[in-house]
Amino acid sequence: MPSMIERIGQMLYVGFRGLTAPDYILEWLSEGRVGGIILFARNVDTPQQLADLTASLHAAAKTPILVCIDQEGGSVSRLRKLFAESPGSMALSSSANAEDITERMAVVLGSELRALGINWDYAPVVDVTYNADNPTVGTRSFGTEPERIGELASAMVRGLQQEGVAACAKHFPGLGDTA
């Protein structure tokens, strides 16, 4: 049976600076003191570097971990150069056959994330764009119609999950009406 520290640790997700995991992160993983790692642009250089980094994290972990990243596509993408680029949610929602295209784009993102050792994506954004002056959501939203946002967000979730990557619908009710 896991200790109290291990059970609490499984609820903690931590980040770090750099392209390789610091020794203390690997130690925490090996002791079961954290349940996962969140990666940022500061942790990413090339596909090989990122795959090596996530492999080191998974290998160090006492129990299976979640490795997370904020890869929505569009303006919020932690993977840029040398990685697949995806249009943002608003661009996807304005295309013909938006639901199909959104799901297929999420399959591409999910496939790449999984190949890199990342198994949780902080996407899709499910905020409703209520305020055109909102600098936070903008093109990250699928639009102004809640039902349509739900359909397209569901398509993104299906595409990511098809590739074995967990999705995280965010910020609802959150940021949509922020000025």
Side-chain angles (χ1 to χ4, degrees), residues 52-69:
D52 291 345
L53 169 59
T54 61
S56 74
L57 298 168
H58 288 290
K62 181 177 184 177
T63 58
I65 59 169
L66 290 171
V67 177
C68 333
I69 199 161

Side-chain angles (χ1 to χ4, degrees), residues 67-171:
V67 177
C68 333
I69 199 161
D70 206 349
Q71 188 70 5
E72 298 169 12
S75 64
V76 177
S77 295
R78 305 302 178 225
L79 308 179
R80 292 271 183 201
K81 61 180 182 174
L82 305 176
F83 296 94
E85 286 284 337
S86 167
S89 296
M90 192 161 289
L92 290 169
S93 72
S94 66
S95 63
N97 302 316
E99 195 170 341
D100 180 55
I101 289 171
T102 299
E103 185 171 342
R104 290 190 310 163
M105 189 69 242
V107 167
V108 170
L109 289 175
S111 175
E112 181 173 58
L113 292 174
R114 191 66 168 166
L116 293 165
I118 298 168
N119 50 17
W120 189 9
D121 188 9
Y122 291 153
V125 168
V126 294
D127 291 297
V128 178
T129 301
Y130 291 111
N131 181 346
D133 295 326
N134 182 332
T136 306
V137 174
T139 60
R140 296 170 64 195
S141 170
F142 285 111
T144 60
E145 301 169 17
E147 187 173 310
R148 176 114 168 116
I149 292 166
E151 291 166 356
L152 296 174
S154 294
M156 182 170 268
V157 169
R158 282 192 307 273
L160 289 169
Q161 290 181 343
Q162 182 177 320
E163 293 301 317
V165 175
C168 179
K170 63 182 186 186
H171 312 101

